[in-house]
Amino acid sequence: MAAITRLAKPSSSISYLRRCLSTSISSETNPLFSSRKDPKDRNVQWVFLGCPGVGKGTYASRLCSLLGVPHIATGDLVREELASSGPLSQQLSEIVNQGKLVSDQIIINLLSKRLEAGEAKGESGFILDGFPRTINQAEILEGVTDIDLVVNLKLQEDVLLEKCLGRRICSECGKNFNLASINVKGENGNPGISMAPLLPPAHCTVKLITRSDDTEAVVKERLRVYSEKSQPVEEFYRSRGKLLEFDLPGGIPQSWPKLLEALNLDDYEEKQSAAA
Ligand SMILES: Nc1ncnc2c1ncn2[C@@H]1O[C@H](COP(=O)(O)OP(=O)(O)O)[C@@H](O)[C@H]1O
């Protein structure tokens, strides 16, 4: 019931977009629409949810390499648009640097363009990272395609902040690293958690940059916005029986095998490496 009472009425611009996606844009030109296929005839269509800093990008991109599907992160699409200095970039930079969400309309446009480009290259399936982030976005997605599974990654809030502040990107190769060394002792029945830093190789060390929205004040605002706007999306999928909750037990060496196990992919990884 909670999920139903929380559903916001779609705004008129979103209803318009939804009408576009479902009627006036034909299945040949709308990749979201055309992806409503029998799951046996296509690759996985998964969504990764989770607070800023939880590691959605890290685990989603590893799974994408394993499953041979594209990793589509709406945060990356926003940053590409920002870097392009196009007409939207000034407006986007203000929103992102305040830790707010970009409008559903802009995000759906960016995502539709990305899916269209992928479809033209023959992509099938996807893992979406950072989308949907509002109930409106989840409803639109539900209206145009079938999501098979939603993975909800979880970590305690003080660790999330430290991880965002430790995040670094190599400005040349684009790889992500993390300088934070997490060591939280277990207390009051809660398990402790340790995460080793993910350090860059020497050639990247001199080229590291920090995302402009990874400052303490902006991360705190993003966490607040997540609990206000995106946590209801968890309930949206939970009530549809699609949500897999995954508490990260530690860094990548501890979490990756456990995640594969939770997804019934542990054998899959072995078979893939044997075939390689
Ligand atoms: N689905 C979305 N809806 C609205 N805004 C988004 C969405 N995805 C990304 N953004 C914008 O891009 C920023 C960066 O996104 P992302 O890299 O996913 O960050 P995070 O580390 O907070 O998960 C967000 O703070 C938000 O301003």
Side-chain angles (χ1 to χ4, degrees):
M1 278 320 277
I4 294 167
T5 50
R6 275 192 199 139
L7 291 182
K9 249 192 168 322
S11 68
S12 56
S13 61
I14 295 305
S15 311
Y16 168 75
L17 268 176
R18 193 205 311 253
R19 276 203 307 280
C20 286
L21 287 170
S22 58
T23 55
S24 59
I25 302 178
S26 71
S27 57
E28 292 97 81
T29 55
N30 178 6
L32 271 173
F33 192 75
S34 62
S35 56
R36 200 186 282 283
K37 288 183 186 156
D38 190 313
K40 288 197 298 300
D41 301 328
R42 58 159 173 79
N43 282 329
V44 301
Q45 297 190 163
W46 290 357
V47 162
F48 263 59
L49 295 181
C51 289
V54 75
K56 296 183 294 292
T58 304
Y59 295 102
S61 69
R62 283 183 158 233
L63 279 171
C64 285
S65 309
L66 185 66
L67 300 172
V69 293
H71 170 216
I72 304 182
T74 44
D76 289 346
L77 300 181
V78 168
R79 282 182 287 278
E80 276 164 28
E81 188 66 34
L82 266 173
S84 75
S85 309
L88 280 180
S89 67
Q90 177 62 28
Q91 187 192 347
L92 287 181
S93 136
E94 277 167 28
I95 299 169
V96 171
N97 289 324
Q98 284 172 19
K100 307 283 188 224
L101 291 184
V102 171
S103 75
D104 290 342
Q105 183 165 359
I106 292 179
I107 284 293
I108 301 243
N109 274 337
L110 292 175
L111 181 60
S112 293
K113 271 198 242 155
R114 168 62 187 84
L115 288 168
E116 212 168 86
E119 175 117 321
K121 287 192 288 181
E123 284 177 358
S124 162
F126 48 72
I127 298 184
L128 293 179
D129 157 2
F131 185 94
R133 240 175 168 104
T134 63
I135 290 287
N136 276 332
Q137 293 177 8
E139 289 190 308
I140 290 168
L141 190 60
E142 193 83 347
V144 294
T145 196
D146 296 314
I147 295 301
D148 312 319
L149 179 74
V150 178
V151 180
N152 187 26
L153 295 183
K154 294 197 296 195
L155 261 180
Q156 59 197 72
E157 190 162 326
D158 47 346
V159 174
L160 293 170
L161 179 61
E162 264 193 80
K163 282 196 64 208
C164 283
L165 298 182
R167 204 146 58 173
R168 297 290 181 278
I169 304 157
C170 172
S171 56
E172 197 166 279
C173 71
K175 284 205 179 111
N176 288 283
F177 303 99
N178 207 304
L179 310 183
S181 175
I182 312 281
N183 220 329
V184 178
K185 291 209 171 66
E187 262 182 359
N188 308 325
N190 295 324
I193 186 159
S194 299
M195 293 171 137
L198 186 59
L199 297 174
H203 56 274
C204 293
T205 306
V206 284
K207 297 169 192 131
L208 293 185
I209 51 168
T210 306
R211 263 169 59 172
S212 59
D213 57 343
D214 274 344
T215 62
E216 184 163 347
V218 179
V219 172
K220 285 186 172 161
E221 176 60 7
R222 278 156 56 206
L223 289 168
R224 192 196 63 74
V225 169
Y226 186 89
S227 69
E228 183 190 318
K229 303 267 172 62
S230 307
Q231 225 139 27
V233 177
E234 297 175 9
E235 189 51 44
F236 179 93
Y237 287 116
R238 189 177 291 117
S239 68
R240 285 161 176 77
K242 292 187 175 175
L243 196 72
L244 174 80
E245 306 274 12
F246 187 78
D247 284 291
L248 288 155
I252 298 172
Q254 298 83 23
S255 303
W256 177 240
K258 290 260 185 270
L259 181 61
L260 290 178
E261 215 176 285
L263 293 167
N264 284 324
L265 287 173
D266 32 357
D267 280 358
Y268 190 91
E269 194 181 37
E270 278 160 31
K271 280 186 203 141
Q272 292 289 98
S273 16

